[in-house]
Amino acid sequence: MTDRQALLVTPEALAEQLAVERDAWRSGGAQLPRTLVLDVRWSLAEPDGRAAFSAGHVPGAVYVDLESQLSGHGPATAGRHPLPGDELLTNAARRWGLRPGDRVVAYDGDGNLAAARAWWLLRDAGVDVRLLDGAWPGWIEAGLPIETGTDEAGTDEAGALEASAVEASTVESSVVGTSGDGHPEITLVGGRMPRLTIEEAAVWARDAVLLDARAAERYSGDSEPIDPRAGHVPGARSLPTTGNIDAAGRFLELQELRARFEAAGVGVPAADERVAAYCGSGITASHTLFALELAGHRGALFPGSWSQWANHPELPVATGPLP
């Protein structure tokens, strides 16, 4: 059975952990493992989350720009949010102050739909990462302290980093593997999480289970606000990822998630199980993959997702509520 605590942390548990680390740092225990908190506010309607971050965030959290730090760039035929390369993600992680051995907790403004992208990328690179259950609204509901302001770096107490480390990360270190503040620099290399190419996605939809995490109206083709063609990958099954969380933005319990995935054709966890997910551009599909992990399944990501598929006019498109 999946250990929910290995994937999620409650606001109260995170606050307690940060307090323990902060006290250890103040008493001279700065070398203890740290928890770095990442604020990944992003949505299609409001891709720049800096204003929301400035208005309030978890104390010590670092703002993460999903568009520039968690996404690569390329032609439309590659999709709207290609995966970042190892170099781009490594440079971003150093900017955040991530060090070897650090733990990470990520959250966003609503339901962790965007924060799950950080979870997938960092886990793919071997980082110990969890999501804050309930995201930012959960922290507020718990009545925990908040911090305001635009300082994305914070200070080098638990869960943050030194201002000097931020400055040092903008230039190359004169010592390979060591940042300007003397701490070892982290280098992220991905490849641990399964993923599909666009060619593999077509086969997967026919021979296995390919989940479409978008809203039902986008799956059916009744609505398409951003990509050039409406509909879905033929054979894909509709399972909006917003159904993986409750009204408060917390992930459903194990049995509820398992029942939901089984209804979509995902079987009992097994080594030969084949399930994958896509969405509009590869962001919220990570949320579905996170929910699959909670339910005891391991799924593959189709990073290009619908935005890549729709930009290949030679590929077929299905419409309507059925695969």
Side-chain angles (χ1 to χ4, degrees):
M1 182 180 293
T2 300
D3 182 359
R4 191 178 178 94
Q5 292 182 340
L7 294 167
L8 285 168
V9 60
T10 66
E12 295 84 358
L14 176 59
E16 181 179 356
Q17 181 63 34
L18 292 176
V20 168
E21 294 174 15
R22 187 178 302 113
D23 290 344
W25 178 81
R26 288 171 174 166
S27 63
Q31 298 305 312
L32 293 175
R34 306 179 314 153
T35 299
L36 180 68
V37 182
L38 302 180
D39 186 309
V40 195
R41 311 282 181 100
W42 177 93
S43 69
L44 276 176
E46 192 64 49
D48 189 338
R50 288 180 178 85
F53 176 86
S54 177
H57 52 265
V58 173
V62 179
Y63 174 70
V64 175
D65 188 319
L66 185 146
E67 296 284 342
S68 66
Q69 297 181 319
L70 302 182
S71 303
H73 303 281
T77 51
R80 285 183 278 111
H81 293 104
L83 297 178
D86 292 339
E87 183 178 3
L88 190 156
L89 188 60
T90 291
N91 288 338
R94 291 176 181 177
R95 172 67 180 83
W96 306 330
L98 184 64
R99 302 174 190 160
D102 281 355
R103 296 175 290 251
V104 172
V105 172
Y107 72 91
D108 59 25
D110 184 20
N112 286 312
L113 298 176
R117 170 74 160 208
W119 167 81
W120 192 94
L121 287 170
L122 291 174
R123 187 166 186 187
D124 186 55
V127 176
D128 180 358
V129 54
R130 292 178 291 170
L131 293 181
L132 177 63
D133 205 9
W136 176 242
W139 184 271
I140 295 297
E141 182 183 343
L144 296 165
I146 68 170
E147 188 173 74
T148 61
T150 58
D151 181 3
E152 300 169 10
T155 59
D156 192 28
E157 293 188 342
L161 79 139
E162 296 175 8
S164 61
V166 177
E167 296 169 1
S169 66
T170 62
V171 297
E172 292 223 16
S173 173
S174 60
V175 179
V176 175
T178 304
S179 67
D181 64 355
H183 291 287
E185 282 191 327
I186 196 164
T187 298
L188 299 180
V189 178
R192 294 164 178 80
M193 300 285 275
R195 69 202 75 193
L196 303 182
T197 64
I198 192 170
E199 296 80 11
E200 291 170 332
V203 175
W204 207 279
R206 184 188 68 228
D207 299 339
V209 177
L210 180 62
L211 301 176
D212 186 317
R214 297 174 300 162
E217 62 269 20
R218 292 189 68 189
Y219 173 88
S220 67
D222 292 336
S223 173
E224 182 44 67
I226 191 166
D227 292 314
R229 294 194 289 169
H232 59 267
V233 175
R237 308 176 191 192
S238 178
L239 196 70
T241 200
T242 51
N244 295 319
I245 53 178
D246 62 21
R250 296 183 178 89
F251 282 91
L252 302 180
E253 294 298 325
L254 173 65
Q255 295 306 322
E256 294 176 283
L257 286 172
R258 282 191 173 172
R260 192 164 189 269
F261 288 123
E262 287 173 7
V266 180
V268 176
D272 61 350
E273 185 179 74
R274 299 177 71 209
V275 58
Y278 76 93
C279 57
S281 63
I283 303 300
T284 57
S286 298
H287 190 270
T288 289
L289 295 175
F290 185 89
L292 278 165
E293 292 270 350
L294 283 173
H297 303 276
R298 170 62 63 92
L301 174 68
F302 172 24
S305 286
W306 183 247
S307 62
Q308 183 182 24
W309 189 277
N311 276 288
H312 284 263
E314 74 279 9
L315 294 176
V317 170
T319 57
L322 302 176

